[in-house]
Amino acid sequence: MNSQKVAEKPKSKNFIEGATGDWEVIIGLEVHAQVASNSKLFSGSSTGFGAPPNSHVSLVDAAMPGMLPVINRECVAQAIRTGLGLKAQINTKSVFDRKNYFYPDLPQGYQISQYKQPIVGEGEVEITVDGETLTVGVERLHLEQDAGKSLHDQHPDYSYVDLNRSGVALMEIVSKPDLRSSKQAQAYVTKLRSILRYLGTSDGDMDKGNLRADVNVSVRKPGDKLGTRCEIKNVNSIRFIGQAIEYEARRQIDIIEDGGTIDQETRLFDAAKGETRSMRSKEEAHDYRYFPDPDLLPLEFSNDYVEELKSKLPELPDEKRARFIESFGLSAYDADVLVAERASADYFEKVAGGRDGKVAANWVINELFGRLNKEGKAIEDSPVSSAQLGAIVDLIGSNAISGKIAKDLFEIVWTEGGDPAEIVDKRGMKQVTDTGAIEKAVDAIIAANPEKVEQAKAKPSMLGWFVGQVMKSTGGKANPAAVNDILKAKLGI
């Protein structure tokens, strides 16, 4: 009989520890992204943000009797572009349905959405979490109208309704239940937002409510059937998505371990308290009494139309990342940072053009991004242009300035502007490469510190002290490599 011990399957790092053992959290996301378009899905009203209440409302948006919806062609094109960016099936025939429910900010008493025949079918999004690459399935993408907004803080006795958002086009992007941790869910939404922004199909501005997620959470013992899920509505920040999942998973585990059962319900996330709370029992599809909208014909377009849109798509984050690694020799981490936003990737590419890609990436990520983050600026508002930063990289590459001087130069360009090469010339910032001048400075330091010389001969790591002194005496202008070489020769190290 073979007594060899069978190796245990490694425990998933995503499991949550409970009183009765490990639990697995199952997460699916329904992301609502506002379509980037000048007018609404079924009317010509403006989609501009920040207008006075009820100033962007047509008779269609207000559901006046006899008003008929007319589909916005650009919103359709944006949905198709998004589907192509998600490597998804594009359905050349789809149907708009009425989703019936009553709410004060829904003037029609129904929402025009898509149910059984959406415009986009199955696709996928690739994410990387803790060095592991995962493919998250997309179930569907459909177009629908947004509702208006109820305002409860304008009057002590009444709630007001602003219909500016009513009828604005949304893409609802539904993931498969493939996510197993809050970090994975956050990475998925981050990547999805990046794809939308690259495509120009949504600005993904979560502060304005232009991207928000309904988060479906359930828990189970590893390998068991799926548990009862709860839906957390309208979470509007990536940080809050993570917090909501962590709280909700633990809440469900505690209830089950205490002998209770999970009620299928819709919940809200209270950001101030960091917890979810019950909102209402979860509706099923039949509760909405879906039926095809009689005012709208089925939406049909040709494969040629899809191919035309596909031919004009920009390079997407995954493709750009692979090219940056291949063309510029970047690490996967640096490439990920640079391609996260299209504007950042474009900026880097201008800096790196014809230059050392690794040096360019170092300056963009560490110096530029670091300073932008510190001052709360977007890259579009950077005081240092890509041409100016490229010029600084050129000066380093030609040994005209040292790395230390380059940082001083960056500070000058950031605060005062100007041409980096001219600044270096006018302010006498050029690096000293004359070995005679450097040798003279080295001799002076050695002569003034005989005890340090003996220490350095016994302990070569002391060389750094001498390098620092020479750089200090030359105002940081001496070529560090030349200083090192001359010191080693003089000290016999």
Side-chain angles (χ1 to χ4, degrees):
M1 182 177 176
N2 189 346
S3 61
Q4 184 177 358
K5 188 177 179 181
V6 178
E8 290 184 11
K9 187 176 180 180
K11 175 179 170 179
S12 170
K13 57 179 174 285
N14 294 322
F15 288 166
I16 299 171
E17 191 174 333
T20 60
D22 290 332
W23 292 84
E24 185 176 35
V25 60
I26 311 295
I27 305 157
L29 294 171
E30 299 165 18
V31 174
H32 296 81
Q34 181 175 319
V35 176
S37 65
N38 293 327
S39 53
K40 297 181 181 181
L41 184 55
F42 298 114
S43 82
S45 298
S46 170
T47 58
F49 180 79
N54 296 308
S55 59
H56 290 170
V57 186
S58 72
L59 297 176
V60 173
D61 307 324
M64 291 294 104
M67 295 297 104
L68 296 175
V70 178
I71 189 75
N72 182 332
R73 181 186 180 94
E74 179 58 18
C75 292
V76 173
Q78 294 287 54
I80 296 169
R81 291 184 187 107
T82 303
L84 292 169
L86 299 176
K87 303 171 192 166
Q89 170 68 39
I90 308 299
N91 298 323
T92 55
K93 180 178 179 179
S94 60
V95 174
F96 283 99
D97 300 279
R98 290 188 182 181
K99 180 181 182 181
N100 297 275
Y101 64 96
F102 174 78
Y103 206 73
D105 58 17
L106 191 71
Q108 294 157 308
Y110 60 84
Q111 177 190 39
I112 302 177
S113 183
Q114 294 186 305
Y115 178 39
K116 289 188 176 177
Q117 293 179 267
I119 189 169
V120 175
E122 293 192 354
E124 61 185 40
V125 174
E126 195 173 271
I127 61 172
T128 301
V129 180
D130 295 331
E132 183 183 3
T133 299
L134 307 166
T135 299
V136 181
V138 170
E139 186 71 45
R140 55 187 279 143
L141 176 157
H142 62 260
L143 282 168
E144 64 184 22
Q145 306 168 297
D146 204 352
K149 185 176 183 181
S150 295
L151 305 170
H152 307 294
D153 58 354
Q154 307 292 305
H155 192 280
D157 300 320
Y158 304 105
S159 289
Y160 291 173
V161 175
D162 178 7
L163 295 180
N164 279 347
R165 287 189 72 98
S166 178
V168 166
L170 297 178
M171 295 178 287
E172 180 170 338
I173 303 164
V174 182
S175 83
K176 294 183 178 180
D178 291 343
L179 299 158
R180 295 292 180 270
S181 71
S182 58
K183 285 178 74 173
Q184 289 181 13
Q186 289 175 308
Y188 169 79
V189 176
T190 300
K191 183 64 170 289
L192 184 59
R193 181 176 181 270
S194 178
I195 292 170
L196 294 171
R197 287 166 66 88
Y198 265 76
L199 289 165
T201 56
S202 175
D203 66 13
D205 191 331
M206 300 183 91
D207 291 336
K208 294 178 181 176
N210 294 353
L211 188 81
R212 50 197 193 267
D214 296 342
V215 185
N216 290 283
V217 178
S218 67
V219 297
R220 68 179 180 186
K221 286 289 188 178
D224 282 1
K225 66 179 183 179
L226 293 175
T228 301
R229 64 188 171 90
C230 292
E231 181 183 42
I232 309 162
K233 292 290 286 186
N234 288 329
V235 188
N236 65 350
S237 102
I238 290 170
R239 181 163 62 92
F240 292 161
I241 287 170
Q243 291 176 358
I245 291 168
E246 294 283 342
Y247 177 87
E248 182 60 20
R250 176 53 62 187
R251 183 189 74 87
Q252 293 184 22
I253 291 168
D254 289 346
I255 288 172
I256 297 169
E257 290 191 328
D258 285 343
T261 57
I262 303 301
D263 294 325
Q264 184 167 323
E265 61 181 352
T266 299
R267 301 179 68 84
L268 288 176
F269 178 66
D270 185 329
K273 295 181 178 178
E275 62 187 36
T276 66
R277 65 172 186 268
S278 184
M279 180 182 175
R280 59 176 182 261
S281 61
K282 171 64 181 167
E283 299 89 346
E284 300 291 351
H286 61 258
D287 294 323
Y288 292 118
R289 304 189 318 281
Y290 281 99
F291 63 88
D293 193 305
D295 292 336
L296 289 160
L297 291 169
L299 175 63
E300 297 186 44
F301 44 81
S302 67
N303 284 316
D304 288 343
Y305 178 59
V306 176
E307 288 302 315
E308 181 188 352
L309 292 173
K310 188 175 184 179
S311 69
K312 296 175 183 175
L313 292 182
E315 184 180 41
L316 292 174
D318 287 346
E319 300 157 4
K320 198 176 286 287
R321 175 184 184 274
R323 182 168 62 81
F324 279 7
I325 292 171
E326 175 68 26
S327 301
F328 298 114
L330 302 187
S331 68
Y333 174 81
D334 284 353
D336 282 335
V337 172
L338 291 166
V339 305
E341 292 286 347
R342 186 174 178 178
S344 300
D346 291 345
Y347 185 104
F348 162 74
E349 199 150 11
K350 289 173 184 172
V351 175
R355 303 183 177 100
D356 185 316
K358 291 182 180 178
V359 174
N362 182 55
W363 273 86
V364 170
I365 293 170
N366 296 324
E367 300 302 324
L368 182 74
F369 288 180
R371 188 61 179 270
L372 289 171
N373 289 338
K374 184 179 177 182
E375 301 202 7
K377 292 180 183 289
I379 195 160
E380 293 88 350
D381 303 319
S382 171
V384 179
S385 70
S386 55
Q388 288 171 318
L389 191 56
I392 293 173
V393 173
D394 284 339
L395 290 165
I396 299 168
S398 66
N399 283 325
I401 58 174
S402 66
K404 181 183 181 304
I405 294 172
K407 292 188 178 186
D408 296 337
L409 177 59
F410 179 85
E411 179 64 29
I412 294 168
V413 175
W414 180 279
T415 54
E416 302 175 24
D419 178 79
E422 289 180 8
I423 293 169
V424 167
D425 282 338
K426 288 179 181 176
R427 303 199 184 192
M429 298 172 73
K430 276 194 175 176
Q431 184 169 241
V432 176
T433 54
D434 176 6
T435 53
I438 295 171
E439 193 168 349
K440 187 176 179 182
V442 168
D443 287 340
I445 299 297
I446 288 175
N449 297 279
E451 72 289 349
K452 296 281 188 183
V453 171
E454 294 306 315
Q455 290 173 20
K457 287 179 179 178
K459 191 178 179 184
S461 61
M462 278 287 295
L463 186 70
W465 182 86
F466 282 94
V467 172
Q469 292 301 306
V470 174
M471 295 303 291
K472 187 176 178 182
S473 72
T474 60
K477 295 177 185 176
N479 183 307
V483 172
N484 262 288
D485 291 341
I486 291 170
L487 274 169
K488 285 178 181 177
K490 295 277 186 181
L491 297 175
I493 295 175

